Amino acid sequence: MAVKRVGVIGFPVEHSLSPVMHNAAFEALRMDDWYYDAMSIPPDILRLGLREPRNHGYIGINVTVPHKEAIMEYVRPDEKARAIGAVNTVDFRSNIGTNTDADGLINDLVASDVRIRGERVLVLGAGGAARAAVYGLLREGAAVAIVNRTKSRADRLVAQLRASSGLDGAEVMTLDQAADWGMSLIVNCTSVGLHPNIKQSPWIHGLPFPEGVTVYDMVYRPANTALMQQCVAHGGRAIGGLGMLVRQGAIAFELWTGVAPPIDVMYDVLRDALEQATKD
Ligand code: NAP
């Protein structure tokens, strides 16, 4: 039986949870001929390094830090990847590179019954994850405000997104201005609160949350971040980012295999792996 291989490239990549998630899905679906592994490729040899999986018949790969932007030169980026400015999934059969982060976030919000169309949404952060979030939220018809520690980076995000996708309507604000603007959803796309800095939050202590607000925190380690705790203490709802990680992976899985993966299996195995990592 010829093995159908997929995997993730990054540098370093040993910490990646993607092999655990995808291999659990293959096992649950008894897709014994599929296997997902991790490949470490240093940034200075990316073009050469890509020959490895290509020549060994890999069907596709996920792409993680620091290759997401650089790989755009060596694949055919689709509309989403061009808009977001980064590729996180490649199908070697077509050499098309796509980005599943925006749809991963939107699919998880929808699965969590969070309304998007016509809503005001505050995005915290202006890095790669924020760009995917702003793209997805604007595309789904939300009005978006962006707050970032470095304002110039947020200005750049808005300009780049307008140029790459034609999507308009994101406004850069301060956190105080955003609190007055009012929103039904806050998406944290900063790394603030990420393990081991679990006491930190991107929300100013004592600043009230809008009534009925939902916080979606892309940070998934820890599962219940300081920001999520603050929001719930003020009567809001909070959702952690593990579902997004699962759903962006699920889109790639289906792209390569043509089979819808078991979301619950993927979620459970990741939750267990993260719990174990916290104990270690
Ligand atoms: P990035 O490009 O490095 O951006 C980091 C962002 O965090 C920037 O906006 C940065 O602000 C802000 N930031 C960092 N430290 C800060 C601090 N002390 N105070 C205020 N702001 C701070 O990273 P990224 O790729 O966008 O990822 C951001 C987070 O999202 C990471 O935690 C990542 O793990 C998570 N993520 C989760 C998923 C998921 O599936 N759940 C997917 C993608 C990313 P400046 O611009 O001022 O530096």
Side-chain angles (χ1 to χ4, degrees):
M1 179 171 60
V3 178
K4 297 190 177 96
R5 304 192 86 102
V6 282
V8 56
I9 63 161
F11 190 77
V13 78
E14 295 72 30
H15 64 280
S16 173
L17 294 168
S18 294
V20 167
M21 173 168 76
H22 286 276
N23 286 326
F26 290 142
E27 200 179 323
L29 294 173
R30 301 198 195 298
M31 295 168 68
D32 301 335
D33 48 343
W34 284 82
Y35 189 71
Y36 187 111
D37 55 16
M39 282 158 278
S40 177
I41 300 182
D44 51 336
I45 59 154
L46 175 61
R47 193 170 66 89
L48 206 66
L50 273 172
R51 284 195 195 154
E52 254 328 89
R54 272 203 179 109
N55 292 346
H56 283 89
Y58 277 64
I59 286 172
I61 48 166
N62 284 132
V63 185
T64 188
V65 181
H67 301 314
K68 287 188 193 188
E69 282 114 34
I71 199 170
M72 291 183 73
E73 214 182 308
Y74 309 119
V75 297
R76 293 196 291 140
D78 71 358
E79 192 187 330
K80 286 171 194 169
R82 284 199 307 272
I84 297 166
V87 161
N88 75 348
T89 302
V90 177
D91 188 329
F92 282 135
R93 294 166 297 195
S94 59
N95 205 30
I96 290 175
T98 188
N99 192 306
T100 63
D101 272 344
D103 289 336
L105 170 67
I106 298 297
N107 290 354
D108 204 42
L109 288 170
V110 169
S112 308
D113 290 325
V114 177
R115 283 171 48 169
I116 303 169
R117 184 160 299 280
E119 299 294 313
R120 288 185 170 191
V121 182
L122 170 61
V123 168
L124 301 173
R131 186 156 159 184
V134 174
Y135 166 75
L137 291 162
L138 286 176
R139 196 194 58 195
E140 296 301 310
V144 176
I146 306 172
V147 171
N148 193 47
R149 176 178 62 177
T150 311
K151 181 182 173 292
S152 57
R153 198 173 176 195
D155 291 332
R156 225 168 31 243
L157 188 160
V158 172
Q160 282 170 344
L161 204 53
R162 192 181 292 131
S164 63
S165 69
L167 282 171
D168 241 325
E171 233 181 294
V172 179
M173 298 186 187
T174 65
L175 192 52
D176 285 323
Q177 284 169 334
D180 286 342
W181 182 62
M183 72 295 283
S184 60
L185 174 64
I186 299 169
V187 182
N188 178 34
C189 308
T190 76
S191 45
V192 182
L194 182 65
H195 179 86
N197 303 313
I198 61 171
K199 294 219 166 106
Q200 293 178 1
S201 164
W203 195 260
I204 298 168
H205 186 71
L207 186 69
F209 284 85
E211 211 183 308
V213 78
T214 297
V215 158
Y216 189 95
D217 200 335
M218 281 199 191
V219 172
Y220 48 79
R221 187 177 182 204
N224 190 15
T225 63
L227 171 65
M228 291 167 68
Q229 292 170 37
Q230 273 174 307
C231 179
V232 169
H234 283 83
R237 181 183 176 206
I239 306 166
L242 198 57
M244 174 179 169
L245 185 67
V246 169
R247 289 177 193 280
Q248 59 79 29
I251 297 166
F253 186 102
E254 192 159 353
L255 183 79
W256 298 321
T257 65
V259 177
I263 299 283
D264 293 354
V265 169
M266 292 162 94
Y267 192 93
D268 288 350
V269 77
L270 282 190
R271 193 196 45 218
D272 292 351
L274 285 166
E275 269 172 23
Q276 190 54 46
T278 308
K279 278 186 213 145
D280 290 346

